[in-house]
Amino acid sequence: TILDDMTEEDFFSIIVFSSSVQTWSSYELENLDKDSLTKPVVIQATEHNKKIAINYVNNLNEGGGTNINDAMLMGIELAKMATKEELLPRKTKSMIIFLTDGQPTSGERNGNNIRRNVKDQNTNKIPIFGLAFGRDSDFSLMKEISREADSFAKQIYEGSDAAIQLEDFFSQISNPLISELKFEYVGEVVDNSSLSKANFNSFFKGGEYVVVGKLNNLLNFEEEKFTIILLGDKYDGKYEKKIDICLRPQALPVNYGQQDHFSHHCISQPKYPARSAEQNFMQKLHAFVNIKQLLKRDETKLSNGESPKNKALRLSLENNFVTELTSLVVVAEQDVKIASFKNSVSSGYSSISRGISRSYGGISAQSFGHSGGIS
C-alpha cells in the first residue's frame, strides 16, 4: 500500500531484517547505477521500480529472529548517507517507515537500550514512523521510538485487512512542508517559562501542533496585541510568518476584508458562550501537556533553574495528577479502633487496652521523598 501510493517524485530503499540485516537491490531496477548494487541504494519510485519492489516484498518469507536494533540503526545510516551524498532532490526529506510483527529477539533485546541506541544515532532527527503488525509485535517500543523522533506509530490489528488499516497513512507523511519549525513569542506578554514544546522537527501538510502557555498579568501592559513568529526551513529557502493576536476586543474597520485578516490587523479573540466550571479546563490542559513533555526531557535545568522533574512534580501536585512521580491513595471513611498490645511477663499472654474509636477518610496532597505523591 505504501509503495503503491508513492509518486515518481518519491524515492525509497528497502531494508530486510530477521536475525541479520541487509539492504535490497535488483538488476531489474531502472535508473540505477549497476555498479552500486553491492551498496545501499536509493531507488526512484517509478511505476517499473515499484512493481519490482512490490513483487519482491510479496514473496518475502518469515524466518529467524527479529533484530530491531540493527535494522533501525542501518535505516538511520542509510538516510544520513542519502542526504550527505545528495542522492535525493533538495525538496525531498528523509524519513524511516519501520514495519515489524515481533519482539526484539536477536541482537540487542532490551527495549530501553534499543531506544537509547536509536536516539544517540539519530543526530539528524530523522522522523521514524513505526508500524507494528499483530498482537505479538512490540507496539510500546515502536511508539516510544517514534515519539522520541517527533513522529508517530500505528498498530495494525489481526483479523482485518492491513491495507484498509493503512489507508491514508502515507498521505499523512508524504508532504513535508517545513522542517525545524519553531514558535517564538515576542515581548513580555507571554510567560515563556510556561510554554510547552515550541519547536518541531517536521510539519506535514494537513498536520497541526498545539503550544500551550500562560499570559503574564495583562493589567501591567499597555500593548494591544502580542506577536508570534513562526520560523523554519523549506526546500526553497527559509520560512518566516508573523501573526499578531489581539489582547483585547477591537472593533473591525469599515470595509474589512478577508485579505486584511493577517496583513493589517491582529487576530481578534473569538467570543465564546459562558462556560461551566467543569469546562474551564485550560489550566489542567496546560499542566497536562507540560508534564508529559517534562518527563521526557533529560536533567538539564530549565531557564529558571528548576529541573524538569521538579517542575513536573510541582505541576502534578498543584493539579492533582497521578503521574510516575506521584501516587493516589483513597482512604474510605470508616470507624477505626486503635489498640495497644502489651506483653504480660507473668502469664505469657497479651492484654488489649480499651480501643479509641476515630473516624478517618478523604484525600490529601503529600510529597513522599524524592518522588512526591498524592495520598
Side-chain angles (χ1 to χ4, degrees):
T1 299
I2 295 173
L3 286 169
D4 278 329
D5 291 336
M6 288 186 173
T7 69
E8 292 200 5
E9 295 182 351
D10 298 317
F11 294 77
F12 68 93
S13 299
I14 296 177
I15 296 175
V16 184
F17 66 96
S18 53
S19 300
S20 59
V21 182
Q22 61 184 13
T23 305
W24 172 77
S25 184
S26 171
Y27 284 102
E28 299 180 56
L29 296 170
E30 61 184 5
N31 301 331
L32 184 67
D33 181 5
K34 305 303 181 184
D35 295 332
S36 68
L37 289 181
T38 58
K39 302 177 183 179
V41 292
V42 177
I43 305 164
Q44 186 177 6
T46 63
E47 289 300 321
H48 174 80
N49 287 345
K50 289 195 296 182
K51 182 179 179 181
I52 300 299
I54 291 171
N55 183 62
Y56 169 75
V57 171
N58 287 338
N59 286 285
L60 282 174
N61 296 315
E62 61 179 347
T66 305
N67 196 337
I68 291 178
N69 183 77
D70 290 355
M72 282 276 190
L73 299 184
M74 180 177 283
I76 294 171
E77 281 304 308
L78 180 53
K80 284 182 178 179
M81 180 272 294
T83 302
K84 182 179 180 181
E85 299 186 9
E86 298 182 347
L87 301 178
L88 300 171
R90 186 179 176 185
K91 66 178 182 180
T92 305
K93 182 175 180 61
S94 294
M95 65 183 69
I96 296 171
I97 303 176
F98 194 90
L99 291 73
T100 181
D101 63 353
Q103 306 275 336
T105 60
S106 183
E108 177 59 66
R109 303 182 183 184
N110 184 280
N112 290 330
N113 291 342
I114 294 174
R115 285 174 53 193
R116 183 164 48 251
N117 293 340
V118 172
K119 186 176 181 179
D120 292 344
Q121 190 79 357
N122 193 14
T123 53
N124 292 352
K125 287 291 183 181
I126 298 166
I128 301 174
F129 299 94
L131 293 175
F133 288 78
R135 66 180 63 183
D136 294 330
S137 60
D138 195 339
F139 178 61
S140 296
L141 177 60
M142 291 297 101
K143 186 168 61 175
E144 290 301 314
I145 290 175
S146 295
R147 177 186 59 77
E148 290 172 349
D150 283 340
S151 310
F152 63 87
K154 185 178 180 70
Q155 186 161 25
I156 309 301
Y157 295 96
E158 298 173 348
S160 180
D161 191 345
I164 296 176
Q165 296 183 65
L166 286 173
E167 194 172 318
D168 297 329
F169 168 77
F170 185 70
S171 63
Q172 297 177 50
I173 63 174
S174 59
N175 291 300
L177 300 179
I178 305 171
S179 60
E180 303 302 327
L181 179 63
K182 182 179 181 181
F183 292 76
E184 289 188 352
Y185 294 81
V186 181
E188 299 180 355
V189 176
V190 176
D191 179 5
N192 284 286
S193 66
S194 71
L195 292 175
S196 61
K197 185 177 180 181
N199 57 289
F200 304 93
N201 182 37
S202 301
F203 177 75
F204 295 92
K205 183 178 180 180
E208 61 180 30
Y209 293 114
V210 176
V211 180
V212 296
K214 295 179 181 179
L215 298 178
N216 289 309
N217 190 345
L218 299 182
L219 297 178
N220 297 332
F221 297 95
E222 297 180 355
E223 290 91 339
E224 296 294 328
K225 63 183 181 181
F226 74 90
T227 301
I228 305 173
I229 299 178
L230 280 70
L231 302 171
D233 296 320
K234 298 182 70 176
Y235 68 88
D236 56 353
K238 294 291 184 180
Y239 173 82
E240 181 173 346
K241 185 178 183 65
K242 178 178 164 184
I243 302 174
D244 293 328
I245 307 294
C246 298
L247 294 176
R248 299 171 183 84
Q250 293 185 348
L252 296 178
V254 180
N255 299 325
Y256 174 78
Q258 183 64 32
Q259 67 276 10
D260 299 322
H261 191 65
F262 290 101
S263 55
H264 302 297
H265 306 283
C266 54
I267 301 176
S268 300
Q269 294 181 359
K271 294 183 178 180
Y272 296 109
R275 291 178 177 269
S276 65
E278 290 76 14
Q279 291 173 315
N280 291 323
F281 61 90
M282 287 305 299
Q283 177 182 339
K284 290 191 179 294
L285 173 62
H286 168 260
F288 175 75
V289 173
N290 271 278
I291 291 168
K292 285 182 64 177
Q293 295 178 357
L294 288 166
L295 292 176
K296 300 170 188 173
R297 297 184 55 159
D298 54 28
E299 286 303 309
T300 304
K301 290 192 175 182
L302 305 174
S303 57
N304 60 356
E306 190 175 17
S307 72
K309 281 193 175 181
N310 283 344
K311 183 174 180 180
L313 173 60
R314 175 170 56 80
L315 291 174
S316 299
L317 293 174
E318 289 174 357
N319 293 275
N320 290 333
F321 285 163
V322 179
T323 68
E324 61 187 65
L325 301 177
T326 57
S327 59
L328 178 67
V329 179
V330 180
V331 181
E333 186 172 350
Q334 56 186 331
D335 287 337
V336 180
K337 287 190 175 182
I338 302 177
S340 64
F341 294 82
K342 297 181 180 179
N343 293 326
S344 174
V345 178
S346 59
S347 64
Y349 292 97
S350 297
S351 61
I352 303 177
S353 62
R354 185 180 64 178
I356 304 173
S357 180
R358 295 179 181 175
S359 179
Y360 295 87
I363 302 174
S364 61
Q366 297 180 6
S367 177
F368 299 125
H370 294 289
S371 61
I374 303 173
S375 68

